[in-house]
Structures are given as structure tokens and as C-alpha cells.
Amino acid sequence: MAPGPLDPFRRKLDHERAQAAHRGNRISAQPAHSARGSHPVTRLLSPCLLVASAHDPLGRRVVELLLRRDEAEVIATSRQPVHLVDLAARGARIRGADPDDAASLDAAFTGAHRLLLLPGAADGSWSRRRQLQAMIDAAARVGVRTVVYAAQIEVFDPSLMTVARECETVAQACEARNLALSVLRVSWPMERLFPRIILALRCGKWFSSAPQGRLPYVAGEDVARTAAAVLRADPVPPGELAITGPQALTAEALVNSINIIFGASIDLVPVSEEALALHLQVSGFPKSTLREALIIEEVSKRGLAPFSDGVIEQMTGQPPRSIEAVLVEHRLDLLLSTSTPRL
């Protein structure tokens, strides 16, 4: 696995992680009796799992997967818990959590043993690091013992990210509070390509500033299933885990897959970064989506994304889905979207 920003802390954290993980993964036990009644046995109680940012699609899906287990006790938090009412009906405990309000975080996190921090958990444009710090502080205060942090790929190159060194912030905060930490290095979700795929189906061209760059795009469902599996694992695997698709794709391979699934004849057009930005801008892309597209190109060009090491299959029992499988699943929706006037 390629070096990540947690490497400077690894040696120092190994012993502490092992101790904290042991405490966090075996929350409490009750004496019971064996079938014959002659020897007491230990029954482990399931830890209470908390998903921050459960209002976004990834967080919501993780909660749904966790609730499939009858024994799971799940807390789902959001700034606006009214959006989580349907999850409450399925058995989740929903709570309001404002990452800028320490008292709100303490109340929301109380009772949890493990915390999943997804990218949307910190929502401040300039204060995300401070919010992450505050959430980990609150988690430590109320007894959370294990943190699972899902980091997006741009976090692993300071020159690309607007959120500076988020992963280091999380690692240092967990180290200072003796919390076990597992970091999911999530590659770019395939579904984030959908706006560009719709545009390419309309105009017959895929513009790329990095035609030879590669990215191991990952299906959003695989990310959710793996995050849920890691959070409920016994023990939670420490360190960094690369959550990626089955193979790294070039722009040419991506376009070929699109053409096969849709019966299209899209051409790959190498362009400069400026020309790509202009093309997306005049095509109606909002600034955030345009920025994502440029980051994808730059990350693929530099080869910064992690590559698959079998984590998805190891944690879920199923191999990661291919880009073709995801396109087949969403084929009709994507074709219908090509008829809309703007993205």
C-alpha cells in the first residue's frame, strides 16, 4: 500500500491502538451458564455504533446496512435529524449533532462505543479540521473507544485539497485521547462520474486532461458495505485500509466501457486542464462538480489514489463491483438524464 499521512504516527500508535481496540471491541460481558449449567460462559454484548452525517447518501446507506442485523444498536446523527425519521422507524436512534456545538456533540454521542466519521460529517468550508477535532474530543469525553474515519482521495495530496491535512488532524486527535483508529482510504466513487457520463452521451465526446492517468474507481455500495463491516468487525482492523475498485482505469478504458454498455460511439478527446474546465463550465456544471472533475483528472495523472489490496472482499465476502456492473445498474437513469436540458 502506498504511504499515507498516518505513517509518521504508526509506530507510536501501534501499542495504544491495540490496547484501545481491545477495550472498544469488547464493550461489556455478562456471566451466563452453559447448556449443561456446570460452567459459566461469557456473552459479549454488541457495541453501540454511531454514524455521523447520516443524512448524506453514504451515511444513510451505512445505517441501513447496520440495521439489517437484529442485534445492532445504531445511532444516526445529523444537523437536521428530521431528515432521519425513516431511519428511526427502522430502529435507529436519531439525534441532532452540530459539529460547532460541543454540548450538542456530547449529547448526540453519549452511549456510543464506536464512531464512523464520513466525509460529510465535517461541513464547514474553512473549519472542517476544527470540527473533526471537536467531534473526536466529544467522542472521547462520552466514552467512545474506536473511531473509523473515511477519507477521500484528495486528502492524501496537500497540493490538491482545500481541506488541509484532515487525516493528520484525526490521527493526532485520536492519538492524544488514546482512541483506536481505522482509516478508510476511499477512492473516487464511480457514481461521481455520472454527470460527465451524461454529458459525454449527449455530445459524443469525453474530454480529458489526463488520458493516460489511472484511477481505481469504486462503487458507492461497496464503500457503504465495507464501512459498515469495518465498524461492526470484532476486532475493528486498525491502520489504513484502501477501499478501491477492482482495477485502475484509464480514461480510454472508461470510455470503452461506456460505449459498450450504452451502445454509444463516444470519442476520447485529450485537452488541457483549462480547456476541460471551460468545456464543463459552458455545459452547465456547477462549480463544485467542475472542481471534482478537475481533481479526478489531476489525481489520476499523478497516480495518488490507493490501489486495491482486497479489503472489500475481505471485509464483506464479495469482490468489488466493476464499472460495467455499476453502469448496467444505472443505465436507464443515465439515459433518461441525457434528455434533460442541463446537468
Side-chain angles (χ1 to χ4, degrees):
M1 184 185 298
L6 294 182
D7 288 343
F9 309 105
R10 252 190 190 142
R11 290 191 181 91
K12 189 173 181 180
L13 282 174
D14 279 344
H15 180 63
E16 294 178 354
R17 277 177 179 155
Q19 289 182 324
H22 179 76
R23 292 194 302 271
N25 293 321
R26 290 169 174 80
I27 303 306
S28 59
Q30 304 177 33
H33 295 281
S34 65
R36 296 181 180 179
S38 56
H39 299 286
V41 296
T42 298
R43 180 179 298 135
L44 299 179
L45 300 183
S46 298
C48 181
L49 311 176
L50 189 152
V51 178
S53 185
H55 58 275
D56 68 25
L58 177 57
R60 174 176 290 275
R61 184 57 180 153
V62 172
V63 172
E64 291 173 347
L65 292 169
L66 292 173
L67 291 174
R68 288 184 176 180
R69 301 243 176 153
D70 292 338
E71 74 278 10
E73 185 177 4
V74 181
I75 299 173
T77 70
S78 171
R79 275 188 186 268
Q80 298 179 309
V82 66
H83 298 310
L84 308 180
V85 171
D86 63 310
L87 295 177
R90 303 183 201 183
R93 287 192 279 166
I94 61 172
R95 296 175 179 173
D98 183 346
D100 297 314
D101 182 347
S104 165
L105 293 174
D106 285 356
F109 290 3
T110 294
H113 301 115
R114 299 178 186 174
L115 167 65
L116 174 62
L117 285 178
L118 297 170
D123 55 14
S125 59
W126 59 271
S127 59
R128 288 175 58 95
R129 292 180 69 191
R130 179 174 57 78
Q131 290 177 336
L132 288 169
Q133 178 82 50
M135 285 186 279
I136 291 172
D137 288 345
R141 285 194 299 269
V142 301
V144 171
R145 297 181 175 100
T146 302
V147 175
V148 178
Y149 173 60
Q152 295 178 343
I153 54 176
E154 68 262 34
V155 171
F156 295 91
D157 179 37
S159 68
L160 289 179
M161 63 182 184
T162 58
V163 184
R165 304 180 187 276
E166 289 184 8
C167 202
E168 289 185 39
T169 296
V170 172
Q172 291 170 341
C174 288
E175 176 189 18
R177 287 147 192 81
N178 198 27
L179 300 180
L181 173 63
S182 179
V183 176
L184 310 182
R185 296 183 62 183
V186 182
S187 188
W188 214 273
M190 296 175 186
E191 292 81 358
R192 303 271 279 275
L193 291 171
F194 286 176
R196 293 185 68 185
I197 292 174
I198 293 169
L199 176 61
L201 290 171
R202 286 176 179 167
C203 70
K205 299 182 185 298
W206 183 280
F207 291 80
S208 175
S209 61
Q212 299 305 315
R214 294 175 179 269
L215 263 183
Y217 299 101
V218 63
E221 178 69 6
D222 287 338
V223 177
R225 290 191 301 112
T226 305
V230 170
L231 192 62
R232 65 178 175 236
D234 185 14
V236 172
E240 296 181 9
L241 305 174
I243 313 301
T244 78
Q247 60 182 336
L249 299 175
T250 63
E252 181 179 7
L254 179 60
V255 169
N256 286 340
S257 294
I258 297 170
N259 283 336
I260 291 171
I261 299 303
F262 291 92
S265 300
I266 298 170
D267 295 323
L268 175 64
V269 182
V271 295
S272 66
E273 182 176 316
E274 293 76 14
L276 174 61
L278 179 61
H279 169 65
L280 298 179
Q281 183 179 4
V282 300
S283 299
F285 274 58
K287 288 183 179 180
S288 59
T289 309
L290 191 153
R291 175 184 174 275
E292 282 186 1
L294 296 179
I295 289 177
I296 288 176
E297 298 287 316
E298 188 64 22
V299 172
S300 66
K301 184 189 306 181
R302 299 189 187 187
L304 298 168
F307 286 87
S308 177
D309 56 3
V311 171
I312 291 176
E313 186 165 9
Q314 178 184 350
M315 295 305 305
T316 69
Q318 299 177 14
R321 304 172 71 197
S322 67
I323 184 67
E324 292 83 4
V326 172
L327 292 177
V328 167
E329 179 183 352
H330 296 277
R331 185 176 185 274
L332 180 58
D333 290 336
L334 291 171
L335 286 173
L336 291 174
S337 297
T338 62
S339 62
T340 59
R342 295 179 68 86
L343 294 174

